[in-house]
Amino acid sequence: MHGFDPREENLERDIERAAEIEKWLESGQRELEAVVGCGETAGGRVKATVTAYGRVREIVITPRAMRVGSHALAEEILLAIRRAQQDAEQKSRQLVNDALCDMVGDDMAHITTLEKQFGEVLESFEQPDR
């Protein structure tokens, strides 16, 4: 084992992994931007669709929902949007987790570092607690 330096092997593996992460971040950003979350209220009176960034793309209000008071309707709209945002966040996290698993495979030694890096990417998609 003369000349074998495990640190050099680890460094090469880390460089390869960093290149994979950088490559994924370029394409992954586009994938994350394409994520759409959907949410609705009980009974489906109000449905909402949002982007991964939490921007509302569509709200569908059924005629049944128009029979409730304005305050109740506003609450249902906000609830549908919140559920859609949670759905988009969950889909974004799943996308990143899948990419992370593909890159790490069975080598869990670097999982904490990678989770931290990907966690920073996902912070921009998280909605503040209400």
Side-chain angles (χ1 to χ4, degrees), residues 32-50:
L32 286 169
E33 289 171 356
V35 169
V36 174
C38 301
E40 65 181 73
T41 58
R45 291 190 299 203
V46 178
K47 297 177 183 180
T49 306
V50 301

Side-chain angles (χ1 to χ4, degrees), residues 59-122:
I59 295 179
V60 176
I61 301 171
T62 65
R64 287 187 342 260
M66 298 304 289
R67 295 184 191 123
V68 301
S70 60
H71 182 69
L73 179 58
E75 286 180 351
E76 286 198 36
I77 291 169
L78 291 175
L79 177 61
I81 291 171
R82 220 175 2 259
R83 287 178 175 170
Q85 289 170 332
Q86 291 168 346
D87 183 48
E89 182 180 340
Q90 186 274 330
K91 288 176 180 177
S92 297
R93 287 191 175 282
Q94 187 63 51
L95 181 70
V96 172
N97 285 339
D98 290 348
L100 180 62
C101 288
D102 287 346
M103 284 183 257
V104 173
D106 293 333
D107 182 10
M108 299 304 284
H110 294 88
I111 193 85
T112 304
T113 303
L114 291 173
E115 282 179 339
K116 182 179 180 219
Q117 290 171 338
F118 280 114
E120 291 169 0
V121 170
L122 284 175

Side-chain angles (χ1 to χ4, degrees), residues 29 32-33 35 50-55 85 88 92 124-125 127:
Q29 185 66 30
L32 286 169
E33 289 171 356
V35 169
V50 301
T51 67
Y53 293 102
R55 291 193 177 107
Q85 289 170 332
S92 297
S124 63
F125 298 103
Q127 298 298 314

